[in-house]
Amino acid sequence: AAKASRVGTTVFDKSYDINSSTNLSMASELKNAIAGNQLIMYVQPKIGIATSKLTSLEALVRWKHPEKGFIFPDQFIPFAEQTGYIQLISQWMLNEAARYSQIWNTMNLHYPIAVNISTRDLIDQELPEKINAIFKTYNIDDSSLSLEITESSIMDDPVRALATLDKLSGMNIKLSIDDFGTGYSSLAYLKRLPVNELKIDKSFILKMEQDESDKKIVQSTIDLGHNLGLKVVAEGIENQVVWDLLRKMGCDSGQGYYMSKPMPASDFVSWINLWDS
Ligand code: C2E
Ligand code: CA
Ligand code: CA
Ligand code: CA
């Protein structure tokens, strides 16, 4: 079986022509994956930079294809977004995050799990009710789940997105702006968003050691976030040099291979026992 890689093999046509044979089979395979237990929820820790304590987790989807092996989200999320399957994936991830949250709560582990959502979820006026139903089903509280939203998904339909975000925020659900710095939204817009957290895109963090202007962008983003009363998270921390830099710069928390790669949610309990010991 071919091993799917992040670069090279194209799992689907970039054109998203739903009538092409590749994409027809992609669509039916994705449907099978969602219905047939081929999706797996991975989690990656977000660590407080001043304390080195785990603060929360990000949920990241993986697809374990029966023949192609592991397929990373970059290979199917764009297709899912174009075709609407993304809403099924988001729903599955929200349920899975809630299910784990309930299990971990019984072990006295209370870490909010952030789920990534897309444009189609955001313009779905029923998203807040769907999330409420999940909280009830698993009997977990509002702080158990949070959402990560990219600037570009908000900008696709800002009016509808803002209405959904206001509802979610009214339900006390924490919201993060993901990939901050890569979109085109204006800063004036940022101040109107009911968000709690900014995530600095990893493209800046990965290069800040070498690139003086990336470092300045990172510092300015931390200051901007703090001035707006937001927590700032850096993603893509791969070594101690960058971790130390971010600590000096006042960044609140971080995510990256230096602390932990994403792991299957089923491995989290052993991970946290080691981390805390
Ligand atoms: P993202 O939300 O920006 O997630 C961060 C990505 O950076 C993850 O890739 C993560 O594994 C990777 N990463 C974490 N630490 C490091 C590091 O130190 N160095 C480097 N080089 N990379 C690091 P992943 O899991 O492959 O996900 C890629 C993207 O796919 C995500 O970017 C997100 O946009 C999307 N995605 C993943 N899961 C979901 C999902 O359940 N729903 C939706 N809508 N999108 C998802
Ligand atoms: Ca994210
Ligand atoms: Ca990100
Ligand atoms: Ca991203």
Side-chain angles (χ1 to χ4, degrees), residues 3-170:
K3 191 171 177 285
S5 63
R6 332 197 105 208
V7 284
T9 49
T10 314
V11 178
F12 55 90
D13 284 356
K14 286 277 188 285
S15 57
Y16 306 116
D17 172 5
I18 191 65
N19 294 315
S20 83
S21 59
T22 317
N23 285 336
L24 271 178
S25 78
M26 177 74 177
S28 75
E29 290 191 50
L30 196 49
K31 226 190 287 178
N32 289 339
I34 298 163
N37 281 322
Q38 294 171 26
L39 298 184
I40 303 174
M41 185 178 85
Y42 271 51
V43 292
Q44 189 182 30
K46 293 190 197 179
I47 309 287
I49 294 187
T51 61
S52 290
K53 293 264 187 224
L54 177 68
T55 55
S56 56
L57 296 165
E58 177 177 9
L60 296 158
V61 70
R62 300 288 181 263
W63 178 0
K64 196 173 176 212
H65 190 284
E67 285 109 41
K68 297 183 182 114
F70 264 87
I71 307 178
F72 280 89
D74 294 346
Q75 294 284 326
F76 63 94
I77 292 288
F79 178 87
E81 285 176 337
Q82 290 292 321
T83 51
Y85 287 106
I86 193 65
Q87 284 186 272
L88 294 175
I89 295 176
S90 302
Q91 192 71 24
W92 187 86
M93 287 293 280
L94 286 163
N95 265 286
E96 192 68 353
R99 188 172 75 82
Y100 270 103
S101 185
Q102 185 190 45
I103 295 170
W104 294 335
N105 283 346
T106 67
M107 305 172 172
N108 213 18
L109 298 170
H110 301 277
Y111 298 105
I113 307 172
V115 175
N116 290 283
I117 61 162
S118 302
T119 306
R120 292 209 195 219
D121 303 305
L122 265 186
I123 61 178
D124 173 8
Q125 304 295 299
E126 276 149 38
L127 179 71
E129 284 75 29
K130 288 176 183 166
I131 294 179
N132 228 340
I134 291 173
F135 284 137
K136 289 217 178 85
T137 304
Y138 293 92
N139 189 28
I140 52 173
D141 69 53
D142 305 341
S143 61
S144 308
L145 302 184
S146 68
L147 302 175
E148 295 195 2
I149 305 142
T150 63
E151 284 176 82
S152 53
S153 71
I154 297 168
M155 289 329 236
D156 277 349
D157 188 343
V159 176
R160 283 221 266 173
L162 200 59
T164 310
L165 293 178
D166 279 335
K167 265 201 221 169
L168 291 166
S169 150

Side-chain angles (χ1 to χ4, degrees), residues 52-54 109 111 268-277:
S52 290
K53 293 264 187 224
L54 177 68
L109 298 170
Y111 298 105
F268 171 67
V269 175
S270 355
W271 181 87
I272 186 64
N273 285 331
L274 272 177
W275 184 264
D276 264 359
S277 65

